[in-house]
Amino acid sequence: MNVYIYDKTFDGLLTAVFDAYFRKTFPDFLLSEGDALPLFYDELHTVVTDEEKAARVWRGLQKKVSSSALGCLTQCWLSELPDIGMVIFRYIRKAIDAPRSIETNFGDPDVLLLAQIWKKVDGERMHLMQFVRFQKAADGTFFAAFEPQYNALPLTVQHFKDRFADQKWIIYDMKRRYGFYYDLQEVTTISFDDDSREAHLITGMLDESLMDENEKIFQKLWKTYFKAICIKERMNPRKHKKDMPVRYWKYLTEKQK
């Protein structure tokens, strides 16, 4: 039984693939530093992330599967599921060793599982784009917060950059404590201190003292509009929660009292 230790990055995973083929020993477990090791194992290998090795594996994959399949791999990686590294590793190995593309071989459990994971992450991407509620700050910057189940925020950046190209904005993942800032020119990754006492970094909602003078009025108008279009006789709470997951409610203007 072989154990590989890597840094839980995508480049680290690709480097692990390179090392496995070079060493001709393939891992039964992919763990990170500090993870509990299995009770019995034959060999322990520590992967040192190498961008060139990772790039070589990626170029090799480009010859074996389509660009959409490669996109599926990177999107599934953002699921952050506990065993996603090992699932992707097995998929890559099968893709490299197979005489033809495996991407539509849904009889293979790893191919099917990754297709299912991709669908879930893509659903979260769509939710992020649907349920963004920007609040305008006094300095003109628009602020929005989320707490997505999967790390799907990077998948939405281009959409928001195109859709709101004429305004500065910050979109922040409250669960993972990072976000993106657009300054009308480029998008940069940002992260605030974990010990920050700023209310909007705790609740995801701007304090009235930080709002643009018209923001409170706009929020009131939006709540009024939301209530006006709701038809009580047609309300279906179960479907409502399915279409608009409850985890987003605390960041939606129309759900605030």
Side-chain angles (χ1 to χ4, degrees):
M1 185 174 292
N2 298 314
V3 178
Y4 277 29
I5 305 293
Y6 78 119
D7 62 1
K8 290 286 186 179
T9 65
F10 196 70
D11 276 352
L13 176 62
L14 295 177
T15 304
V17 174
F18 183 96
D19 285 0
Y21 277 95
F22 182 80
R23 294 164 54 85
K24 295 183 174 59
T25 59
F26 294 86
D28 300 289
F29 292 94
L30 274 174
L31 304 175
S32 61
E33 196 70 39
D35 286 348
L37 295 173
L39 188 58
F40 301 104
Y41 58 89
D42 299 312
E43 187 176 8
L44 179 67
H45 171 64
T46 299
V47 176
V48 179
T49 300
D50 186 305
E51 291 184 3
E52 178 54 34
K53 291 180 180 179
R56 287 179 63 180
V57 172
W58 193 252
R59 288 194 295 269
L61 272 176
Q62 289 175 324
K63 299 175 183 178
K64 304 294 290 189
V65 296
S66 67
S67 59
S68 61
L70 294 175
C72 174
L73 291 182
T74 55
Q75 191 157 320
C76 287
W77 174 257
L78 295 175
S79 71
E80 301 178 329
L81 294 172
D83 296 325
I84 191 61
M86 197 67 231
V87 176
I88 293 176
F89 186 101
R90 291 196 301 264
Y91 179 98
I92 291 175
R93 183 182 178 187
K94 291 172 182 177
I96 291 174
D97 294 345
R100 60 184 62 86
S101 174
I102 67 167
E103 58 193 89
T104 58
N105 180 19
F106 297 111
D108 184 286
D110 291 321
V111 176
L112 178 60
L113 180 57
L114 285 178
Q116 293 168 339
I117 293 172
W118 174 87
K119 187 175 181 180
K120 292 178 180 179
V121 177
D122 197 59
E124 194 76 327
R125 177 185 69 86
M126 292 299 296
H127 285 149
L128 287 172
M129 293 190 296
Q130 290 169 338
F131 302 134
V132 63
R133 298 293 184 268
F134 282 113
Q135 306 160 73
K136 190 175 182 180
D139 68 353
T141 301
F142 289 80
F143 175 77
F146 298 103
E147 198 170 334
Q149 181 177 0
Y150 305 113
N151 186 19
L153 183 55
L155 302 174
T156 67
V157 171
Q158 190 59 50
H159 165 79
F160 288 118
K161 184 179 179 182
D162 294 340
R163 177 67 178 81
F164 304 105
D166 60 346
Q167 61 192 48
K168 296 180 180 180
W169 48 257
I170 292 174
I171 305 177
Y172 203 71
D173 185 330
M174 301 291 288
K175 182 178 180 180
R176 296 165 184 82
R177 312 301 295 175
Y178 87 100
F180 294 97
Y181 170 60
Y182 175 63
D183 63 359
L184 303 181
Q185 298 295 327
E186 60 182 7
V187 178
T188 55
T189 305
I190 60 172
S191 180
F192 298 110
D193 294 336
D194 290 339
D195 59 353
S196 175
R197 310 299 296 179
E198 296 291 343
H200 55 283
L201 298 180
I202 299 173
T203 66
M205 305 298 290
L206 288 178
D207 185 86
E208 289 186 14
S209 64
L210 298 175
M211 288 182 182
D212 179 83
E213 58 182 8
N214 293 319
E215 177 62 21
K216 191 174 181 181
I217 298 174
F218 290 144
Q219 290 191 12
K220 185 177 181 179
L221 289 172
W222 178 247
K223 292 176 188 178
T224 302
Y225 169 76
F226 183 76
K227 290 179 181 179
I229 63 173
C230 288
I231 302 173
K232 292 183 179 180
E233 292 76 13
R234 294 185 179 179
M235 290 200 61
N236 185 335
R238 180 178 296 181
K239 188 176 188 306
H240 182 60
K241 291 179 180 179
K242 181 180 179 181
D243 294 341
M244 183 183 286
V246 175
R247 63 180 177 275
Y248 286 97
W249 288 13
K250 62 182 176 180
Y251 304 117
L252 297 178
T253 304
E254 59 268 33
K255 291 295 186 180
Q256 308 306 309
K257 294 181 179 180

